[in-house]
Structure formats: C-alpha cells, structure tokens
Amino acid sequence: DAKTTQPTSMDCAEGRAANLPCNHSTISGNEYVYWYRQIHSQGPQYIIHGLKNNETNEMASLIITEDRKSSTLILPHATLRDTAVYYCIVRVAGTSGTYKYIFGTGTRLKVLA
Amino acid sequence: DGGITQSPKYLFRKEGQNVTLSCEQNLNHDAMYWYRQDPGQGLRLIYYSQIVNDFQKGDIAEGYSVSREKKESFPLTVTSAQKNPTAFYLCASSTGLAGTYEKEQYFGPGTRLTVT
C-alpha cells in the first residue's frame, strides 16, 4: 500500500498562504490523493482530492507533481479557524473491488495571529 | 439531514467486557469504514465493508468484529481480546462503488471509549 509522509507540524501567519507538503513516492497510477483535516476530537473533514491534475475548490488548491510522487495543499489565506491536523491520504484498491484509505500521521498546522 | 451518527460520544467499560459501538448512516452509501485513533496519532483502519453481508479486515482488525446486516448500519464490537481498547473510534461511509468516481468519505463524530 502507498504510504504518505508529512512534516509533523507547521506554523503559518494569519492571512498568509499555508503550503502543506506530502510525499507519496510509492503511489500507483490509479491511486487518488486526498486531503482531510481534523479539528480536535472531531471527525475528519474532506478538503480536496486529485489524481494527476492540479485541483482547486472553495477551500484549497492541490498541486500534484508530474511524477505524482508528491503533492502540496495550499490554503490561500489562512485564518485562525484553519488550525487543525491535516492528513494527506492515498486511496488504494482493497479486496473484492473495494477501496480503502491509508492515513498518515498528519501535519499539525497552527495559524498564528 | 443526511449524515452519519455514532453513539454514544463517550463510553466507559470494565476490562474483560465486550462493547459494541454503533454507526448509522442515511446517505445511501454502499461502503462503510471503522477507524481507530490514539492520542497524537493518525487514523488506522480496523474493518471496512463494501456491501451488505460482506466486510474486509483493515490493518488492525485483531480483537475487533463487525457485522453488516443492513446497508445503513455497521456496528463494531470491541472484544476482550483487544489488548488496548481505549481509543477514539471513528466511523465513515462513502459511495465506494468500484470503478466509479468517488468524491470523499464522510465521517461521524466519533466515540471515545475508555476501558479500565
């Protein structure tokens, strides 16, 4: 199964862009990269996902390198409410046509006032 | 409102007792998942199910059991064989159909289990 590697923690000034890197060097060609975030003691919240192309939605942008071995989540204007643990996840094929999500340990992002 | 419910939010049990955590969804999702989270750690997959009456072991299935008798429900039993059951348990669901485009997993609020 593909594994992801993320920095343990990062700080970002409020109003600045937060760039969260993720390494997934063993990813296979048909495995998607997902990003979720988790605020303390709550269920994770979906942010964005992609396969090959860069993606953007109302929350964030996802930049995937051409070789797909790494990606970066960009929060364009971080606010204090963006303080959370951010997980970079690879969705892999399980048994009998199922899918499962492989979570890493995440990056604890702290947005500073 | 559509979503996933887990109850209770906090659960306390004595060591040696089996305990069942509930997970219900009204999203009409085919796939459901159970994760365990320990303090300061990421999520680890316990079991997952693609369809009714079928489920697969995740990375840490030992000491746990599940059933999937209804599409809406995927209860998790933490048995006395689980050596360190105290943790935060999260249930999730997704459309999960093989070969189809899937946007995301939806997570429940979690159950914090404490075994003493």
Side-chain angles (χ1 to χ4, degrees):
Chain A
D1 292 346
K3 297 290 190 293
T4 60
T5 304
Q6 299 175 253
T8 303
S9 64
M10 292 180 65
D11 291 340
C12 177
E14 189 178 19
R16 295 295 190 103
N19 296 284
L20 291 87
C22 179
N23 180 287
H24 32 78
S25 58
T26 59
I27 197 169
S28 297
N30 59 350
E31 293 174 344
Y32 282 79
V33 177
Y34 284 72
W35 282 82
Y36 282 76
R37 71 180 183 186
Q38 186 179 28
I39 297 171
H40 183 62
S41 295
Q42 297 181 20
Q45 175 193 21
Y46 167 82
I47 301 173
I48 199 167
H49 76 290
L51 182 63
K52 297 180 183 178
N53 299 323
N54 298 338
E55 303 288 344
T56 295
N57 63 20
E58 64 279 5
M59 288 183 69
S61 295
L62 174 60
I63 309 298
I64 302 174
T65 58
E66 194 169 339
D67 63 8
R68 302 214 323 121
K69 292 183 184 301
S70 65
S71 61
T72 300
L73 177 75
I74 301 173
L75 307 178
H77 305 287
T79 71
L80 298 178
R81 288 179 296 179
D82 292 323
T83 293
V85 178
Y86 287 77
Y87 293 101
C88 171
I89 300 150
V90 174
R91 190 191 77 165
V92 305
T95 58
S96 304
T98 62
Y99 290 110
K100 57 180 181 177
Y101 295 75
I102 307 298
F103 279 75
T105 53
T107 296
R108 188 172 298 275
L109 176 69
K110 187 173 182 180
V111 180
L112 306 173
Chain B
D1 289 336
I4 299 178
T5 57
Q6 293 183 246
S7 60
K9 189 168 178 64
Y10 298 95
L11 192 55
F12 299 89
R13 280 294 183 270
K14 295 287 188 185
E15 192 174 334
Q17 293 179 335
N18 291 353
V19 58
T20 297
L21 312 183
S22 75
C23 177
E24 304 277 333
Q25 54 99 0
N26 61 3
L27 301 166
N28 199 33
H29 283 169
D30 288 289
M32 297 187 74
Y33 307 78
W34 273 106
Y35 295 90
R36 169 186 172 134
Q37 187 173 34
D38 293 288
Q41 303 296 313
L43 280 66
R44 291 185 291 167
L45 183 64
I46 305 173
Y47 268 98
Y48 60 112
S49 168
Q50 178 79 16
I51 57 173
V52 173
N53 293 323
D54 188 42
F55 45 83
Q56 288 76 38
K57 292 182 178 180
D59 300 320
I60 55 165
E62 186 175 350
Y64 300 97
S65 65
V66 293
S67 62
R68 188 85 187 277
E69 297 177 1
K70 298 187 300 182
K71 187 175 184 178
E72 304 79 23
S73 178
F74 190 40
L76 173 75
T77 297
V78 184
T79 75
S80 56
Q82 169 50 234
K83 294 185 177 4
N84 296 298
T86 295
F88 187 47
Y89 290 89
L90 286 157
C91 178
S93 73
S94 68
T95 55
L97 295 175
T100 63
Y101 181 74
E102 176 179 285
K103 186 178 179 181
E104 64 191 274
Q105 276 189 318
Y106 293 79
F107 282 85
T111 292
R112 191 167 298 279
L113 173 66
T114 301
V115 177
T116 57

